[in-house]
Amino acid sequence: MPSIAKVIVDTPAMTVDRPFDYLIPQQWQTVIQPGMRVAVPFGPRQLLGFVVAVADVSDVTDITKLKSVTELFDVRPVLTPEMLALGEWMAQDSLNFRISIFQTMLPNLMRGSYEKYVVLKNWENTAAVALFEGAETLDWQTVQASPHVHNVQKWVSEGDLATVYRVSSKETKKTKRALKNCLTTAALLAAVEAVGSKAKAQQKALYQLIDLGESECFVDEFKQAGVSDTTIRTLEAKGYLTVFQKEVDRDPYAGVAFEPSEPLLLTAQQQQVYERIYAVQQAGVTKTFLLHGVTGSGKTEIYLQTIAQALAAGKQAIMLVPEIALTPQMVNRFKGRFGEKVAVLHSALSAGERLDEWQKIERQEASIVVGARSAIFAPLTNIGLIIIDEEHEATYKQEDYPRYHARDIALWRADYHNCPVVLGSATPNVESFARAAKGVYELVQLPERINQQPLPLVEVVDLKDEQRAGNNSSFSRVLLEKIKDRHQKGEQTVLMLNRRGFASFVMCRDCGFVPECPHCSITLTYHKRGHQLKCHYCGHQAPMPPTCPSCQSPHIRQYGTGTQKIEEELLELLPSIRIIRMDVDTTTRKGSHEKLLRAFGNKEADVLLGTQMIAKGLDFANITLVGVLNGDTALNVPDFRAAERTFQLLTQVSGRAGRHHLIGEVIVQTFNPDHYSIQLAKYQNYIGFYNHEMQLRKLTGYPPYYLTTLVQVSSTDERKGEQTMAQIVQFLKRELGEQTILLGPTPAPIAKINNRYRYQCLIKYKIEPALRETLRRVLESYQKEIRNGLSVSIDFEPYMMM
Ligand code: ADP
Ligand code: ZN
Ligand code: ZN
């Protein structure tokens, strides 16, 4: 009998990132399984830990030194064997701490303390009923310490008992009035006789109770069949049924009507793609498809139909979309096709809602998971298909610990389950397309829009010409004309202001002084609300100075362009135009994003003005004009992916116009009209862009020709940071191959954040078998320095080089 638990404890540190042995107390020896959470003594503290294995013997020689597991948090493992294996792989592949990985795999609420109860499901299990001694619930704290814990576990797995989480007061479960019957079917039939045929309403209700059998139902649902409150009260008084408060799963999309949808008859193009994927599904093998299809070419319909195939084969599916594309429109399409089988994981869910969705998946009540990045860890156990839509999006890479790319996790899980992965995009990541070109992925394509609708006409406007003509407004003459025209015709316009690496800042016109954050090497951003200057990195705030702090001139004012300012400018030019503004300021409240989109869809505004968050998922028939106010700002970012991001963004946003029967038009305003990313986006020429970009990547030695890893050091002590980075580079030079290129040490592009000085080195390599081991040693040797305010971070295939 296993008497040793191997436990990863909740301390994210290199030195303890390995399993520790603990004795399993007698009463839990048949209960504890890998994947369960326990509490264990660790030094002077009690820590949460994950059991990763159980064993009969310990590797520790002096077993009397071992301490015991003190608490058991789970009846059933919360991490499957697959998740444990995946965690181990992630730890080795990206040098993440095991504990951070396991916690990322679970909803937030499972990381901390919460209460858990056991409830009765099957009243016929008399032994279980006895355990409750008449109480409605049993406190898990008590159960786990009792001699019955083994039986409780067995009954939970057999469905006679269930566990429920009760989360902190703020997050209490919503409850609704529900009812269940108190009599056996035979007794109910007798009651039908007893109330007699005159009491039609009661008889009807009684028949309904008979149908209900042993299940419970909400009073609302019961009433929908035509039973009145009075009747329910009468039956309750007679002791036929009881009414009680029952928890409802908080459905974040409650109240949103899902239009049921049927599979569409695929076009010939779609059919070809579908058949390739279906063949792999049937063969039950692992294979990655890159689905390159222009916006509106019917990719989503293929996702829906291949998911249906997975379900038909008794399997499950994961569908990842970028966070901001997870709009009600998007969810609607999935719920409309698959209804209750869909669980949605969204960052705007409250912690409690997230837990509800997670449990729905874990209990196998949902077989399709639609969600953003972390949904890739959904606890499905029989995956038949994984889809990543808009696969080029940078949001699939998690930038905090644990660092991971959802695509890598998807490929790993697909390998585990022997199923296909579909990566879909109108503008695939250059590295993904290169993999498809080499045959590592299978390329499938949808080159045309459904019904051969033409792609929108794109016109590039040179802002230098506008300035020369004396137009200093944010709107070129042609864009303004077209907005007016659409306004008159009652058609809608989408305006995008690209804010990546760009925000409205304040400058003194006389001396050029620009206020910076005192803690970060970043200019402060002006916010009209409260007349404040804010730092977007550390949150520092200061009032807008009335005069220049440097030369006292009163001519200090806002430069650059924020969405607020654009809105004011447009209203000045066209006073009667109705504008909906969508940016971080207007969408921080939960559900506000959806509300704004719905309002725009209902034609409550003529113009939707927003940051790049509007570039995705919008699908309204009435949009016939898209204006990009500053097409090139993404180019001015010190990052080898700058051109790729510009191309992707412009292509995406152009795709919002003319998706239905009306022809769309796009105006891109830029200071770099001749840049290849802008010229090729104009013709939506992905292949042209890919070829050009690949040549440049080859010349400059960037992915996919080279792999990259970013090492960053940050320290509260400037010199210490600089020296440490230099030491690390010295060490890397000695340990790594001669072909490997080290760019650095250099200060990071943002040299200071939150009073920490930042240095970096980019490693570029083709083959470097010793890389992970070498970097592990770097991390290990600087572990003890963390206390002195120094930290070292390592990012494989970085997406953020700032
Ligand atoms: P994408 O995901 O590539 O942007 P969608 O799947 O959203 O494309 O399809 C674009 C539009 O075409 C949608 O309104 C969709 O309902 C419609 N559509 C997709 N496939 C078909 C089809 N086979 N027949 C008719 N309409 C289709
Ligand atoms: Zn000044
Ligand atoms: Zn700051």
Side-chain angles (χ1 to χ4, degrees), residues 441-622:
Y441 300 161
E442 180 174 335
L443 183 65
V444 282
Q445 291 182 285
L446 292 175
E448 277 164 20
R449 282 184 155 187
I450 293 289
N451 301 335
Q452 283 89 41
Q453 277 164 315
L455 286 167
L457 308 166
V458 180
E459 184 174 342
V460 176
V461 175
D462 188 347
L463 286 175
K464 295 194 296 287
D465 289 345
E466 294 295 310
Q467 286 193 338
R468 256 175 246 131
N471 176 13
N472 285 317
S473 97
S474 306
F475 297 89
S476 60
R477 292 157 294 177
V478 45
L479 179 57
L480 191 63
E481 270 319 303
K482 290 195 191 291
I483 297 173
K484 270 191 208 156
D485 170 65
R486 295 314 190 281
H487 181 37
Q488 273 157 15
K489 287 195 209 145
E491 295 171 7
Q492 289 175 299
T493 299
V494 168
L495 293 177
M496 188 188 71
L497 184 71
N498 181 11
R499 302 246 297 180
R500 198 191 293 277
F502 183 83
S504 62
F505 61 101
V506 162
M507 190 168 85
C508 169
R509 275 214 256 181
D510 291 332
C511 76
F513 172 83
V514 175
E516 283 190 0
C517 174
H519 315 294
C520 313
S521 43
I522 272 291
T523 54
L524 293 170
T525 305
Y526 177 75
H527 282 250
K528 193 168 177 220
R529 186 180 294 169
H531 210 41
Q532 295 275 321
L533 296 176
K534 282 190 199 169
C535 171
H536 281 186
Y537 282 84
C538 73
H540 169 85
Q541 279 197 37
M544 166 81 185
T547 56
C548 171
S550 171
C551 75
Q552 271 72 50
S553 150
H555 300 128
I556 180 159
R557 69 173 191 89
Q558 176 195 355
Y559 275 80
T561 359
T563 39
Q564 285 177 348
K565 191 161 161 273
I566 297 279
E567 183 181 15
E568 284 167 20
E569 215 180 313
L570 186 58
L571 279 173
E572 223 160 84
L573 294 164
L574 303 172
S576 67
I577 205 150
R578 298 167 306 161
I579 305 172
I580 289 180
R581 178 163 62 88
M582 202 156 93
D583 57 22
V584 281
D585 289 339
T586 62
T587 55
T588 41
R589 282 222 333 278
K590 189 179 144 192
S592 43
H593 188 224
E594 287 76 23
K595 231 180 269 160
L596 293 175
L597 281 180
R598 211 172 307 144
F600 191 63
N602 293 337
K603 301 193 190 166
E604 289 167 32
D606 310 300
V607 171
L608 178 67
L609 163 66
T611 48
Q612 46 268 52
M613 66 171 72
I614 63 169
K616 312 223 168 50
L618 267 182
D619 187 5
F620 296 125
N622 203 36

Side-chain angles (χ1 to χ4, degrees), residues 6-217:
K6 298 190 176 284
V7 178
I8 302 281
V9 292
D10 184 5
T11 312
M14 199 82 193
T15 43
V16 299
D17 185 31
R18 63 175 180 85
F20 288 86
D21 283 6
Y22 285 90
L23 292 171
I24 304 177
Q26 187 79 42
Q27 82 268 23
W28 292 337
Q29 290 194 349
T30 53
V31 177
I32 288 191
Q33 295 162 25
M36 287 182 175
R37 292 161 310 152
V38 291
V40 290
F42 195 78
R45 295 178 295 163
Q46 285 285 321
L47 292 180
L48 178 100
F50 287 86
V51 178
V52 291
V54 291
D56 296 335
V57 286
S58 172
D59 306 329
V60 177
T61 34
D62 187 0
I63 175 158
T64 59
K65 289 239 170 72
L66 288 185
K67 294 177 185 157
S68 294
V69 172
T70 47
E71 263 189 82
L72 177 58
F73 289 119
D74 299 308
V75 191
R76 287 192 295 159
V78 291
L79 292 174
T80 58
E82 181 198 358
M83 287 298 151
L84 292 171
L86 172 60
E88 186 54 33
W89 174 75
M90 286 174 71
Q92 304 207 357
D93 186 66
S94 46
L95 306 181
N96 286 307
F97 298 133
R98 287 165 179 78
I99 190 71
S100 330
I101 297 169
F102 292 151
Q103 293 190 327
T104 296
M105 291 173 170
L106 296 173
N108 268 331
L109 278 176
M110 288 195 143
R111 299 178 193 179
S113 59
Y114 53 84
E115 296 169 85
K116 188 156 65 186
Y117 295 82
V118 179
V119 294
L120 200 52
K121 284 285 177 186
N122 178 5
W123 279 263
E124 271 163 29
N125 182 336
T126 45
V129 172
L131 207 60
F132 280 71
E133 295 175 340
E136 283 213 355
T137 60
L138 288 180
D139 179 11
W140 173 249
Q141 283 284 355
T142 323
V143 174
Q144 60 146 338
S146 79
H148 310 296
V149 58
H150 179 249
N151 283 334
V152 169
Q153 182 184 41
K154 184 164 148 272
W155 293 331
V156 168
S157 68
E158 288 165 359
D160 288 356
L161 300 179
T163 53
V164 287
Y165 296 90
R166 193 159 301 169
V167 293
S168 68
S169 55
K170 247 194 358 235
E171 285 278 334
T172 44
K173 289 253 182 184
K174 251 210 313 246
T175 60
K176 255 170 59 178
R177 284 197 327 143
L179 59 79
K180 63 175 182 239
N181 80 59
C182 300
L183 300 177
T184 61
T185 307
L188 285 170
L189 284 168
V192 173
E193 293 288 317
V195 300
S197 55
K198 292 235 179 70
K200 280 258 175 331
Q202 287 187 40
Q203 277 197 340
K204 184 173 178 189
L206 281 167
Y207 279 119
Q208 228 170 284
L209 273 181
I210 293 168
D211 286 346
L212 194 58
E214 300 197 343
S215 43
E216 300 164 350
C217 117

